[in-house]
Amino acid sequence: MRIDLPAKPSLLPYCRKLLAEGADPAELVHVYRGETLCFHPAPLATFAALTTEEGVERSIRFRKWREMPRQGGVYASETATIAGGGND
């Protein structure tokens, strides 16, 4: 499977959506921006299991994703944040 990233990447939530829609978790994903391969090809489930985290003092990092519990009838943000946080 080839995924072409837009200007603002939303790869990780997109991979979770694909899994929820029944995509094969073992299918290798090749992530490109233009003609540049951005990540080493990995199974869809690997990308779906990640989120990003960014701090004031450090650059963006991958972290294990976990679904947040419902709060007040609305889902909490699925992106982990530290001190003003990051985005998927």
Side-chain angles (χ1 to χ4, degrees), residues 9-78:
S10 57
L11 170 67
L12 306 176
Y14 180 65
C15 289
R16 289 189 285 276
K17 180 182 176 195
L18 288 172
L19 284 180
E21 293 174 352
D24 180 2
E27 185 170 356
L28 282 183
V29 175
H30 302 262
V31 182
Y32 285 86
R33 180 169 281 137
E35 294 303 315
T36 303
L37 182 64
C38 298
F39 299 103
H40 182 75
L44 178 61
T46 299
F47 287 110
L50 298 172
T51 190
T52 56
E53 177 180 274
E54 185 174 15
V56 175
E57 301 282 325
R58 65 176 188 206
S59 64
I60 199 162
R61 306 257 196 257
F62 286 112
R63 297 285 181 234
K64 183 178 177 181
W65 178 80
R66 66 180 192 274
E67 187 172 3
M68 297 296 197
R70 292 182 69 97
Q71 298 176 355
V74 178
Y75 278 103
S77 171
E78 68 178 39

